[in-house]
């Protein structure tokens, strides 16, 4: 688990890594995360809306270059992001719409302390366009998953899931909207569980 029981009362510093809109970042900032505190926002997108949301929420926020690749970090850059978070005493990293795979130094340094939210009931529909995949497949139930991050794409051990029914007339937009509402409940709840030490770490 992330915390020893003896640490239960101390504040746990959390970094959120995001690429875009930032609604999950906001949900984490304003939701009940127990003794977890959102202390830092780092984005790989200079124009991300999440930067504005961070300044409105009074959270230290910055853009850092991810390197030359589109879907992963450059090795040197991943090391810089990792070092930056370590220097700020970050203990838990929450990915919230970070459109980039983490494989190298960050995963090693924060192993078992990086979590992600994904808009499907994993292991179904990993990767991009999860809501579209669910509609195309014709599932009657879908939802969202908070899980540990490992070296795969949306493959780490599951912490918590929330489900919703798919309606006959759902579009990607309507389905995504209902899933997102559940994401905003699930993510703070998962963080609260981890920070209270009541969830056994499986990595
Ligand atoms: C969320 O739906 C999140 O589950 C998804 O990106 C969106 C980010 O929205 N993440 C993934 O698909 C990761 N595989 P937000 O920026 O408003 O939080």
């Amino acid at each position: 688990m992330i915390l020893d029981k003896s640490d239960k009362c101390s504040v746990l510093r959390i970094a959120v890594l995001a690429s875009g809109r930032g609604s999950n970042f906001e949900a984490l900032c304003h939701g009940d995360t127990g003794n977890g505190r959102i202390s830092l926002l780092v984005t790989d997108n200079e124009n991300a809306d999440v930067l504005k949301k961070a300044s409105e929420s009074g959270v230290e926020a910055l853009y850092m270059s991810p390197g030359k690749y589109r879907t992963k970090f450059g090795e040197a850059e991943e090391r810089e992001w990792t070092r930056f978070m370590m220097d700020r005493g970050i203990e838990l990293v929450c990915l919230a719409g970070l459109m980039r795979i983490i494989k190298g130094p960050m995963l090693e340094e924060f192993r078992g302390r990086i979590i992600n939210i994904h808009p499907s009931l994993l292991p179904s529909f990993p990767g991009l366009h999860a809501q579209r995949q669910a509609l195309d497949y014709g599932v009657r139930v879908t939802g969202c998953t908070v899980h540990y991050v490992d070296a795969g794409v949306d493959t780490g051990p599951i912490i918590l899931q929330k489900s919703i029914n798919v309606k006959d007339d759902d579009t990607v937009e309507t389905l995504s909207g209902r899933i997102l509402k559940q994401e905003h409940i699930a993510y703070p709840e998962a963080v609260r569980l981890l920070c209270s030490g009541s969830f056994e770490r499986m990595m």
Side-chain angles (χ1 to χ4, degrees):
M1 68 193 75
I2 286 174
L3 275 185
D4 289 335
K5 302 269 185 212
S6 55
D7 281 342
K8 257 185 171 175
C9 291
S10 59
V11 166
L12 211 93
R13 289 174 58 80
I14 298 171
V16 176
L17 310 185
S19 299
R21 182 176 54 187
S23 71
N24 276 292
F25 166 77
E26 267 192 313
L28 286 168
C29 286
H30 302 303
D32 178 6
T33 50
N35 55 347
R37 291 282 171 283
I38 309 305
S39 309
L40 179 66
L41 178 277
V42 189
T43 180
D44 58 346
N45 172 7
E46 281 171 294
N47 302 310
D49 286 345
V50 69
L51 281 171
K52 190 161 162 262
K53 289 184 171 140
S55 98
E56 286 162 3
S57 301
V59 172
E60 179 187 5
L62 75 163
Y63 161 81
M64 288 182 77
S65 169
K68 65 182 175 186
Y69 305 104
R70 237 170 35 85
T71 57
K72 63 175 187 174
F73 285 95
E75 205 182 318
E77 285 81 5
E78 192 171 320
R79 213 169 276 124
E80 278 167 33
W81 283 52
T82 305
R83 166 60 51 197
F84 189 81
M85 291 193 287
M86 287 167 68
D87 287 349
R88 272 159 180 71
I90 295 301
E91 291 170 89
L92 175 66
V93 180
C94 293
L95 309 187
L98 181 78
M99 291 306 163
R100 214 166 272 280
I101 293 164
I102 293 173
K103 277 199 182 289
M106 199 184 298
L107 205 52
E108 280 150 35
E109 192 56 49
F110 285 97
R111 185 170 297 279
R113 296 185 296 141
I114 308 185
I115 64 175
N116 180 43
I117 189 153
H118 182 76
S120 75
L121 294 176
L122 292 172
S124 295
F125 315 128
L128 293 175
H129 311 301
Q131 303 93 331
R132 158 62 55 205
Q133 293 185 57
L135 275 183
D136 288 350
Y137 198 92
V139 292
R140 306 312 300 165
V141 176
T142 184
C144 64
T145 303
V146 182
H147 65 96
Y148 288 108
V149 174
D150 64 11
V153 176
D154 302 322
T155 49
I158 289 169
I159 298 165
L160 190 148
Q161 293 182 306
K162 301 270 179 205
S163 62
I164 61 159
N165 292 322
V166 180
K167 297 179 181 170
D168 289 340
D169 59 353
D170 260 329
T171 62
V172 172
E173 288 70 33
T174 59
L175 188 63
S176 301
R178 289 209 310 292
I179 294 173
L180 196 63
K181 277 193 185 156
Q182 295 304 311
E183 293 186 40
H184 297 163
I185 298 167
Y187 220 172
E189 191 177 326
V191 167
R192 193 164 70 239
L193 269 177
L194 291 175
C195 292
S196 71
S198 60
F199 188 84
E200 290 295 324
R201 182 176 129 187
M202 290 183 291
M203 289 187 68

